[in-house]
Amino acid sequence: MRGGPPSACRKNVTRLVCLALLAALPGWQIQGQKPAVSDWPDIPADELGMKDDPSNPGARAIVLYREVMTDDAKYVESHYYRIKILTEEGRKYADIEIPYFAKAASIEEIRARVVQPDGKSTVFSGQVFDKLVVKARKAKFQAKTLTLPEARSGSVIEYKYLIRFHMRPPDVFKHPERYMIDTTVSTPAAHWIIPHELFTRRARFSIRPLPRVKLIWSSVGVEREHGPRSLPDGTFEMEVHNVPGFQEEEYMPPEDSLRARVDFFYAVGFLYDAHDYWAAYAKNLGEAIQGFLGDAKAVRRMAEETVAPADTPEAKLRKLYARAQQVRHLSFEREKTEQEEKRENLKANKSVGDLLKHGYASANEVNLLFVALARAAGFESAPVMVPSRDRQFFRANLLERGQLNAMVVWVQAGPKEYYLDPSTQYCPFGLVPWIETDTSGYRIEKTGGALVTTPASKSADAVIERKGSLQVDAEGNLEGKVQVTFRGQEALERRLEYREKDGEGRKRALEDEVKSWLHPGSTAVLISVSNWEEASETLQAAFTIRVPEYGSQTGRRLLLPVGIFQARERHFFQSAKRVHPVYFPFPYQELDEITLQLAPGQTMENTPGPRRQTFPFGRYEISCSRLDKAVRLERRAVLDGIYFKTESYTLLKAFYDGIRVGDEQQMVLQSGATASSAH
């Protein structure tokens, strides 16, 4: 960039920005605008008298009007809602929650009132509470809550509040003329989420941007011609009408990919197209990472001590992977108090050499150590930045680097490519967490980068296997022992989910999960568990289970369903229609081998024949084999896809309906008296 102050006073921000990204710091948010203080607006008579909405008949409530006003010069954002309650069920919207991130913003100037159909209004004068929603390490998400007790069917509720953002934009966006910028530097400005949970009659959005900085926007579900329009004073605004309420469904893609939205961001420097922008991002971040990797002799020495010349390429990588995971993992330790942090006084790692000297690392630093070790051992290796696909999909036209919020490592070993993530605690070699699979991102190299897609998971990468022997008594109760083996993603998911629990907490969590697979009223007691704290492919647990009244008696016959463990499929996709695509975390397999021991005097009268179904994306089979005084039950359910468009829903539902029908087939047992009389 030319012009501005003398070069001696300029600052090159490229490396600063990239180092901030490397540290995985969240981007600042500068959304907001405080409206002028005024009386409540008049509510039209037709809205006060409304009993139903012809455009959305039968609704419990609707948003009559919603307004979001953003003022980035003041770092505030105002929100206003006018909601009509149409049914008793709609009274729930009088319990108001305003979520916020406590460290980044505060909620101020909360006002609310209730207006009855006759025009009488009651201004809220009660108490506003502050509720902790979730606390994760140093991030605390809270909500301001209030209740409007006067609200009833027919009422209109109104409320408004102000979000004041504590974080300020980097100086480069306020005074770009002071900087020498050799690339595009961008940062988020505002995010307009268009649909509400309720049907919205009308909504208006506006933003007054920072001066002297280019404001760019991109959208999802908003056509360009209907997007924000620029006003002479520099403000952008957009108005929408008759927006359907957003409907949540089980196993849907991330909301950010489904809700219509407009994203604003500021950009300074040379404005490229999206391809050039991301290429420059990869190059600049690669230079910053190379500065962290350096050329540490300690890394080369460690690599030489870890591998043997005779090792195969994969054997070398496995050893280096295990060595990187031995570093103290700060990102997976429990949250410490300020006093504990001050006492420990850990210093930041500025290079891999510092990391080895200190003996600790953050998550991304562990991956970078592995990159350094792999290179020292003669492999091509580079970090790959990807989005966590549980939150969002990569949007190349959104020039927001914060999309790429996760890191995996790419290694080329001869003709074979590996994608690995030693930074995730408990993650075994050859596996990456599902949120980093089958997603687009950028491989980061010193000389540039390349858009890549990480490999998709296979169903064999996520297996639940159950083997056991159960005894059925004359009343149809089941009891016995079952060995459960979780493999791949299934094992990793449970280790990560339960890692902050103590031994008793993990025990209860596993027992509750097994009980959820069984007939209501069942019990499961954990006998043993192995490999909890290891980066192992498997997690094994043994249980004693009891399933009361599993069989139903008709005279002297006992009827028992053949699918004892009807796990995740039992309640899948009961609805005949689907609004959103179906999106599973990963493909999976369930394998059951159960021996059912008959009670003394019982005989098998009838077993259903084997049942099989094969679909393009999965298969299912179940069978019963008669043994001497026992029955062997074998079941296999395999799903080989993760994303199903709405037009494929009927076929997917048929697959799971077929599984339910197969699991509910019944065996017929006879008691001894009936068996002898039959001869």
Side-chain angles (χ1 to χ4, degrees), residues 113-116 118-123:
R113 71 168 182 167
V114 178
V115 183
Q116 304 300 349
D118 62 3
K120 181 180 179 181
S121 67
T122 306
V123 176

Side-chain angles (χ1 to χ4, degrees), residues 19-250:
L19 285 175
L21 284 167
L22 178 60
L25 294 175
W28 59 275
Q29 298 288 331
I30 56 169
Q31 309 171 51
Q33 175 181 337
K34 179 179 177 180
V37 176
S38 62
D39 294 332
W40 293 98
D42 292 333
I43 301 176
D46 66 314
E47 293 183 353
L48 288 174
M50 179 187 296
K51 293 182 171 23
D52 199 0
D53 182 10
S55 59
N56 188 41
R60 55 193 174 183
I62 65 169
V63 176
L64 297 169
Y65 181 61
R66 174 183 167 215
E67 186 171 77
V68 179
M69 301 173 62
T70 305
D71 189 335
D72 278 350
K74 296 180 180 178
Y75 317 120
V76 291
E77 181 173 274
S78 69
H79 291 253
Y80 167 78
Y81 288 87
R82 183 191 301 164
I83 298 176
K84 176 74 176 186
I85 298 175
L86 296 171
T87 67
E88 283 301 306
E89 185 184 5
R91 292 180 63 188
K92 63 180 263 186
Y93 294 99
D95 296 324
I96 299 166
E97 284 198 1
I98 306 168
Y100 67 103
F101 180 29
K103 193 172 183 179
S106 58
I107 306 297
E108 303 174 1
E109 303 182 24
I110 299 174
R111 300 173 62 199
R113 71 168 182 167
V114 178
V115 183
Q116 304 300 349
D118 62 3
K120 181 180 179 181
S121 67
T122 306
V123 176
F124 172 74
S125 59
Q127 186 174 356
V128 176
F129 298 92
D130 204 57
K131 180 176 75 173
L132 179 63
V133 177
V134 64
K135 186 177 182 181
R137 299 189 66 80
K138 296 182 180 180
K140 185 188 293 185
F141 294 90
Q142 294 175 245
K144 297 288 186 182
T145 66
L146 61 147
T147 297
L148 305 177
E150 298 83 7
R152 56 184 173 83
S153 178
S155 301
V156 172
I157 63 173
E158 293 180 285
Y159 63 96
K160 58 178 76 173
Y161 58 90
L162 187 77
I163 303 177
R164 187 174 303 279
F165 292 91
H166 306 321
M167 305 180 78
R168 298 294 183 259
D171 187 65
V172 65
F173 294 99
K174 293 186 289 185
H175 303 288
E177 71 280 357
R178 298 178 182 176
Y179 294 82
M180 181 174 64
I181 307 170
D182 57 5
T183 185
T184 299
V185 181
S186 67
T187 195
H191 306 283
W192 295 346
I193 309 300
I194 310 303
H196 185 271
E197 176 185 343
L198 294 171
F199 182 90
T200 300
R201 266 190 157 189
R202 184 166 70 97
R204 181 179 178 273
F205 303 85
S206 65
I207 177 172
R208 190 177 77 170
L210 293 172
R212 304 189 305 278
V213 186
K214 187 172 182 62
L215 184 66
I216 303 173
W217 63 270
S218 69
S219 64
V220 172
V222 178
E223 296 179 2
R224 197 77 190 177
E225 59 270 24
H226 298 140
R229 60 190 183 95
S230 178
L231 303 182
D233 63 356
T235 299
F236 284 79
E237 71 172 14
M238 184 176 77
E239 191 166 307
V240 295
H241 298 267
N242 298 325
V243 180
F246 183 80
Q247 180 177 333
E248 293 189 6
E249 293 180 302
E250 61 179 348

Side-chain angles (χ1 to χ4, degrees), residues 260-481:
R261 57 187 290 135
V262 177
D263 297 289
F264 287 92
F265 50 94
Y266 294 109
V268 294
F270 297 100
L271 297 180
Y272 307 126
D273 62 20
H275 173 78
D276 290 337
Y277 173 85
W278 289 109
Y281 155 83
K283 181 178 182 297
N284 293 326
L285 185 56
E287 291 173 352
I289 287 175
Q290 186 59 35
F292 183 85
L293 295 176
D295 188 26
K297 293 181 180 179
V299 174
R300 295 196 299 273
R301 185 167 59 251
M302 179 180 289
E304 292 170 356
E305 293 171 353
T306 303
V307 302
D311 288 338
T312 64
E314 182 166 308
K316 289 181 180 179
L317 287 178
R318 286 181 177 274
K319 289 180 178 180
L320 297 172
Y321 185 95
R323 181 62 188 86
Q325 285 194 320
Q326 291 172 10
V327 173
R328 180 183 169 189
H329 238 304
L330 298 181
S331 299
F332 284 88
E333 293 183 352
R334 68 168 179 84
E335 183 182 0
K336 295 180 175 61
T337 64
E338 289 185 13
Q339 293 81 2
E340 287 175 324
E341 289 184 345
K342 189 174 181 180
R343 243 187 341 262
E344 197 166 14
N345 191 27
L346 297 180
K347 298 179 180 179
N349 293 323
K350 298 181 180 179
S351 66
V352 172
D354 284 352
L355 187 159
L356 295 178
K357 181 172 64 176
H358 295 151
Y360 53 76
S362 67
N364 281 350
E365 292 172 349
V366 173
N367 275 340
L368 294 179
L369 171 61
F370 178 61
V371 170
L373 289 170
R375 290 179 179 179
F379 297 102
E380 289 185 71
S381 182
V384 178
M385 301 302 299
V386 298
S388 299
R389 67 174 175 85
D390 60 330
R391 302 178 187 176
Q392 61 184 351
F393 299 143
F394 179 59
R395 291 166 53 195
N397 66 337
L398 178 61
L399 307 189
E400 188 175 319
R401 303 177 184 206
Q403 292 184 84
L404 304 181
N405 60 352
M407 180 189 287
V408 297
V409 176
W410 167 83
V411 183
Q412 183 79 48
K416 189 171 182 179
E417 285 187 316
Y418 295 83
Y419 285 86
L420 305 166
D421 186 3
S423 69
T424 295
Q425 193 175 27
Y426 311 127
C427 187
F429 181 90
L431 194 74
V432 296
W434 70 265
I435 60 175
E436 299 167 349
T437 62
D438 198 15
T439 185
S440 296
Y442 269 84
R443 189 170 68 218
I444 308 300
E445 299 169 350
K446 183 173 65 172
T447 57
L451 181 65
V452 298
T453 299
T454 57
S457 290
K458 304 181 294 293
S459 63
D461 295 330
V463 179
I464 298 178
E465 185 176 10
R466 295 174 285 252
K467 294 184 177 182
S469 179
L470 304 177
Q471 177 75 49
V472 57
D473 64 19
E475 286 74 39
N477 304 307
L478 301 183
E479 189 169 1
K481 294 182 179 179

Side-chain angles (χ1 to χ4, degrees), residues 3 20 29 106 193 209 299 465 481 485 501 504 514 523 565 609 623 632:
Q29 298 288 331
S106 58
I193 309 300
V299 174
E465 185 176 10
K481 294 182 179 179
T485 301
K501 295 181 182 292
E504 183 60 29
V514 172
T523 59
F565 295 98
S623 64
R632 183 177 181 83

Side-chain angles (χ1 to χ4, degrees), residues 467 469-470 478-484 486 503-518 521-529 532 540-548 565:
K467 294 184 177 182
S469 179
L470 304 177
L478 301 183
E479 189 169 1
K481 294 182 179 179
V482 175
Q483 177 85 22
V484 182
F486 303 98
E504 183 60 29
R506 291 174 177 177
K507 178 177 183 291
R508 285 198 301 270
L510 281 178
E511 289 174 345
D512 288 344
E513 180 174 6
V514 172
K515 284 190 290 185
S516 74
W517 299 342
L518 299 169
S522 300
T523 59
V525 178
L526 181 67
I527 303 171
S528 63
V529 64
W532 258 124
Q540 294 180 321
F543 300 86
T544 296
I545 67 169
R546 176 173 172 78
V547 187
F565 295 98

